[in-house]
């Protein structure tokens, strides 16, 4: 019992110290797991216990807690692990463009759920006994066909990320995005192409 208490105190101290030693994390746009651009976390400032596939086992991972504000009054917090091994995504889908300064990151996203449908288990078209994890509207032809569909898509939503407070606002329609920029005090010169 004494050993468990000592471990928990060490974990709390580690979380506190690692959060204080590295005040900022590194966030950037990079290719994600589906081959499209995503906003990803490269260096977190917090260490936390994360559940594994085994319900009796948790492991320490480096990352950061993000506070998501969808376009209603709810807020939910999610721990995002650093990039690597399929983790690190803060904003998924295809990021058509992103711009940032020292505080804010603005993103114009083409949501893959709206273009190809949600990720789900689907039967393979060439063998009805096999299944794959994919999107129902995703063309199973060439990568160029997929990119053509994404580029031609008129679906857009917008995101604002405060990198200092880890608050993520979105998905927003364009008018909501412009209002939220003013509310949050985003500098007027920080603009996406669609605003120019």
């Amino acid at each position: 019992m004494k050993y468990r208490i000592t471990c928990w105190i060490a974990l709390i101290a580690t979380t506190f110290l690692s959060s204080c030693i590295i005040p900022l994390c590194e966030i950037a746009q990079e290719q994600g797991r589906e081959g499209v651009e995503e906003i990803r976390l490269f260096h977190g400032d917090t260490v936390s216990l994360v559940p594994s596939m085994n319900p009796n086992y948790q492991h320490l991972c480096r990352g950061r807690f993000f506070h998501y504000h969808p376009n209603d009054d709810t807020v939910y917090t999610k721990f995002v692990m650093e990039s690597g091994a399929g983790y690190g995504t803060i904003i998924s889908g295809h990021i058509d463009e992103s711009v940032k300064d020292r505080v804010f990151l603005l993103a114009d996203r083409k949501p893959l759920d709206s273009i190809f449908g949600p990720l789900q288990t689907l039967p393979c078209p060439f063998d009805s006994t096999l299944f794959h994890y994919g999107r129902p509207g995703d063309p199973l032809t060439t990568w160029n066909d997929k990119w053509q569909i994404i580029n031609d898509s008129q679906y857009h939503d917008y995101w604002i990320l405060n990198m200092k407070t880890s608050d993520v606002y979105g998905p927003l329609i364009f008018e909501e995005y412009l209002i939220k920029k003013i509310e949050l005090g985003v500098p007027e010169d920080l603009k996406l192409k669609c605003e120019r």
Side-chain angles (χ1 to χ4, degrees), residues 22-30 38-45 63-68 80-83 88-91 95 98-107 160-168:
I22 308 168
L24 294 176
C25 60
E26 188 177 346
I27 297 170
Q29 181 175 328
E30 186 192 52
E38 298 178 334
I39 301 299
R40 300 178 59 82
L41 174 68
F42 292 98
H43 299 290
D45 60 2
R64 188 168 190 175
F65 286 97
F66 287 88
H67 315 291
Y68 287 82
V80 176
M81 292 180 263
E82 287 183 350
S83 275
T89 301
I90 302 167
I91 303 172
I95 304 299
S98 68
V99 294
K100 67 180 181 176
D101 62 11
R102 297 185 74 203
V103 177
F104 293 102
L105 182 143
L106 310 176
I160 301 172
L161 168 60
N162 184 324
M163 295 183 289
K164 290 200 177 199
T165 65
S166 299
D167 286 298
V168 182

Side-chain angles (χ1 to χ4, degrees), residues 116 122-127 130-146 149:
F116 299 119
L122 301 168
C124 288
F126 50 84
D127 185 346
L130 297 176
F131 292 88
H132 74 286
Y133 194 58
R135 299 178 183 275
D138 194 346
L140 297 174
T141 51
T142 68
W143 184 243
N144 289 338
D145 293 340
K146 182 175 181 171
I149 293 169

Side-chain angles (χ1 to χ4, degrees), residues 49-60:
L49 279 173
V50 176
S52 69
M53 297 300 275
N54 179 345
N56 300 319
Y57 177 72
Q58 294 181 333
H59 53 277
L60 283 173

Side-chain angles (χ1 to χ4, degrees), residues 71 156-160 169-174 176-177 180:
N71 46 4
H156 286 267
D157 57 29
Y158 302 90
W159 296 74
I160 301 172
Y169 301 89
L172 304 165
I173 61 172
F174 188 66
E176 292 170 332
Y177 161 78
K180 187 60 75 176

